[in-house]
Amino acid sequence: MILLDGKQTAKAVREKIKICAQEAMAKWGDPITLAVILVGEDPASQVYVGNKIKGCAQVGFESRKVVLPETASQEEVAASIRALNADPSVHGVLLQLPLPKHLDEQALLALIDPDKDVDGLHIVQRGRLFCGLPSLLPCTPFGIMKLLETYGIDPAGKRAVVIGRSNLVGKPLAMMLLNANATVTVCHSRTLDLPSVTKEADILVAAVGKPNFVTADMVKEGAIVIDVGINRVDGKLVGDVDYDEVAPKCSYITPVPGGVGPMTVTMLLANTLKAYENVHAIAAQ
Ligand code: NAP
């Protein structure tokens, strides 16, 4: 069994991003800048935003944090997004989710300039992914694809089963695996006899949000298992896969923590670099 080490991979990818960023900035002359909008004081969101800002500094990007109060209105958040869209010194705009309940998340995401949508959540970027066109990809599934690539795992021809159909993880990942020529099945809470489906998987992805949900009897011998889950149990981070039970059956498996998690912010940085290059390439036409 080989561990898919997200921590090591993320480090290596960040080093590459840093070098490419220096080249790009030398070519175009202005700093690469990511703007993050945080609405409210959700402690987890504050940590995530902090990690994104720290990640920017690590690879030589500038960052801007726009903090709005918990009570901010739809129009106030919209105005912040519009201002960042219009600001040529900002190349990536990210709206930290979840938003306070009174705000319409989809309507606000739709306001982000698709060319600056470094979270890959705008409907235009999703449509491009669906059509198999180049796009800014949602960071968590993009990170999973990068991990597979790094370890020389080609999804082509493999049976991939994704448990979970969220817009954030399950659905875009299924599309990325399909674009990489896997035969893909997406499972969800209404799937009947789930183990009979998951046991077919050469690549099994768990994005469910339930601790230790995937047990050994659900996994084929030699499968590649990707655990997206982040669950807190008795103060410890636990994945969606019962690691101790499942790992001995796998050819490859991601640990939690240290698997998919570290890849997510790294792919946000990759998207920000891409957005910067796209913006300049379009302006130069
Ligand atoms: P989500 O929006 O809650 O979606 C969960 C999915 O699991 C849904 O599609 C749901 O089906 C399905 N599901 C629930 N119970 C099931 C069951 N008994 N059998 C089969 N499917 C079932 O969650 P998410 O945003 O995709 O996140 C999933 C997990 O990944 C969470 O633990 C989250 O914290 C973690 N996560 C990690 C990262 C990272 O960077 N590592 C990033 C994002 C999320 P229905 O659609 O039918 O309800």
Side-chain angles (χ1 to χ4, degrees), residues 140 163-166 168-169 187-190 194 207-210 213 228-231 240 260-261 264:
T140 300
I163 320 175
R165 57 174 164 180
S166 70
L168 201 61
V169 187
C187 300
H188 46 79
S189 65
R190 307 287 285 272
L194 184 65
V208 188
K210 293 189 172 162
F213 179 80
V228 188
I230 302 179
N231 310 289
D240 288 347
V260 174
T264 298

Side-chain angles (χ1 to χ4, degrees), residues 169-230:
V169 187
K171 273 190 219 165
L173 179 63
M175 207 48 70
M176 288 176 211
L177 287 163
L178 183 63
N179 289 343
N181 301 312
T183 302
V184 184
T185 305
V186 182
C187 300
H188 46 79
S189 65
R190 307 287 285 272
T191 300
L192 296 179
D193 192 7
L194 184 65
S196 73
V197 184
T198 58
K199 263 196 291 206
E200 298 256 298
D202 303 311
I203 300 174
L204 177 62
V205 183
V208 188
K210 293 189 172 162
N212 302 321
F213 179 80
V214 174
T215 45
D217 58 313
M218 296 167 73
V219 179
K220 182 167 89 173
E221 199 70 48
I224 298 153
V225 174
I226 308 290
D227 189 351
V228 188
I230 302 179

